[in-house]
């Protein structure tokens, strides 16, 4: 019975993602994996929710799904992106625009250079980032993720610890066989903005994409 319920919930999650193209891991207003599994909005961390383990299993299933990738796209939160929007996401992510590169720390810039050179890098294999005056590789990696400067996946290492695999978007696109389209970054941003606008209107929400968030912060200074 539990298995049937989980299958039905995951089907609902996939239907929402296929329909909208974007689905948050957790949000108190916009559609999210946590909200769909819990059948109620969740504020703050979902780990303490009675269905926390079910939510975790659903996120694991999504992460393994061939039509889904995750990145911090909406309001800096983990966002699942359906395959239909991958070309737009790729065009934006690889553009290296000002909102991505402005004011990143020296550690993050150094890590970005390393990923650019080597294509794929594991954060648990970066001894040069363990110097006392440098941000740890995990913190530098999170900084790059928040600017869409790398594609990342979390892994369990041989010792059972957590680490991240960081990859250039070009390497990711080649690895998955993403069809290249002549889409400009501006066209891609407009496509993603329209998708989020529909969600914001539908749910009376105020989700923001990374470049609009960074732009507004710059204007506020």
């Amino acid at each position: 019975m539990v298995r049937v319920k989980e299958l039905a919930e995951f089907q609902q999650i996939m239907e929402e993602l296929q329909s909208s193209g974007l689905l948050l891991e957790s949000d108190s207003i916009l559609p999210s994996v946590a909200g769909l599994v819990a059948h109620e909005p969740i504020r703050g961390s979902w780990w303490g929710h009675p269905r926390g383990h079910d939510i975790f299993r659903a996120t694991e299933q999504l992460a393994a799904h061939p039509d889904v990738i995750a990145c911090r796209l909406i309001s800096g939160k983990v966002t699942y992106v359906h395959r239909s929007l991958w070309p737009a996401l790729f065009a934006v992510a690889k553009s290296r625009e000002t909102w991505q590169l402005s004011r990143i720390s020296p550690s993050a810039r150094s890590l970005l250079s390393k990923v650019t050179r080597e294509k794929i890098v594991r954060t648990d294999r970066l001894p040069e980032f363990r110097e006392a005056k440098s941000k740890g590789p995990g913190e530098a990696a999170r900084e790059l993720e928040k600017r869409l400067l790398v594609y990342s996946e979390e892994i369990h290492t041989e010792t059972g610890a957590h680490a991240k695999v960081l990859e250039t978007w070009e390497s990711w696109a080649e690895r998955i066989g993403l069809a290249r389209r002549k889409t400009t970054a501006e066209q891609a941003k407009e496509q993603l903005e329209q998708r989020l606008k529909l969600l914001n209107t539908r749910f009376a929400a105020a989700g923001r994409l990374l470049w609009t968030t960074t732009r507004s912060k710059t204007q506020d200074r």
Side-chain angles (χ1 to χ4, degrees), residues 33-199:
V33 177
L36 289 169
V37 174
H39 302 289
E40 64 178 357
I42 297 178
R43 294 184 180 277
S45 174
W46 48 262
W47 279 104
H49 191 274
R51 298 210 62 195
H53 290 294
D54 298 323
I55 295 169
F56 175 74
R57 282 194 292 271
T59 63
E60 292 283 281
Q61 282 182 277
L62 270 183
H65 198 285
D67 292 336
V68 183
I69 63 169
C71 60
R72 292 188 176 275
L73 183 62
I74 299 175
S75 303
K77 298 181 178 181
V78 175
T79 307
Y80 296 98
V81 183
H82 188 264
R83 180 182 288 271
S84 59
L85 290 178
W86 288 1
L89 178 65
F90 175 65
V92 172
K94 73 179 182 65
S95 64
R96 299 283 177 98
E97 292 187 330
T98 302
W99 64 269
Q100 292 176 284
L101 296 168
S102 176
R103 299 177 182 273
I104 65 172
S105 69
S107 295
R109 195 173 293 275
S110 176
L111 180 55
L112 178 60
S113 295
K114 187 174 182 66
V115 176
T116 302
R117 287 193 310 271
E118 300 183 12
K119 310 302 182 188
I120 299 177
V121 168
R122 278 177 50 161
T123 56
D124 60 325
R125 296 177 179 175
L126 297 170
E128 64 269 34
F129 281 84
R130 293 190 172 88
E131 297 175 4
K133 294 182 180 180
S134 174
K135 285 186 177 180
E139 189 173 349
R142 284 190 291 275
E143 197 173 340
L144 298 182
E145 289 173 330
K146 290 177 181 178
R147 305 293 187 100
L148 284 186
L149 285 165
V150 296
Y151 172 69
S152 72
E153 290 184 2
E154 190 166 294
I155 61 168
H156 292 281
T157 68
E158 296 80 359
T159 62
H162 290 274
K164 289 183 178 180
V165 176
L166 309 180
E167 185 175 10
T168 65
W169 284 100
E170 290 80 2
S171 173
W172 167 81
E174 182 178 353
R175 175 168 57 81
I176 66 162
L178 183 69
R180 300 300 178 94
R181 301 179 185 176
K182 293 182 178 179
T183 304
T184 67
E186 287 305 314
Q187 290 171 332
K189 285 191 288 187
E190 184 177 354
Q191 182 181 358
L192 292 168
E193 286 167 8
Q194 286 301 316
R195 289 298 185 100
L196 181 56
K197 183 179 179 180
L198 290 172
L199 283 171

Side-chain angles (χ1 to χ4, degrees), residues 201-215:
T201 301
R202 179 179 160 200
F203 293 94
R208 304 185 72 171
L209 292 162
L210 292 174
W211 50 92
T212 59
T213 302
T214 306
R215 188 189 308 142

Side-chain angles (χ1 to χ4, degrees), residues 208 212-221:
R208 304 185 72 171
T212 59
T213 302
T214 306
R215 188 189 308 142
S216 66
K217 286 181 179 178
T218 303
Q219 291 171 345
D220 290 341
R221 287 191 179 95

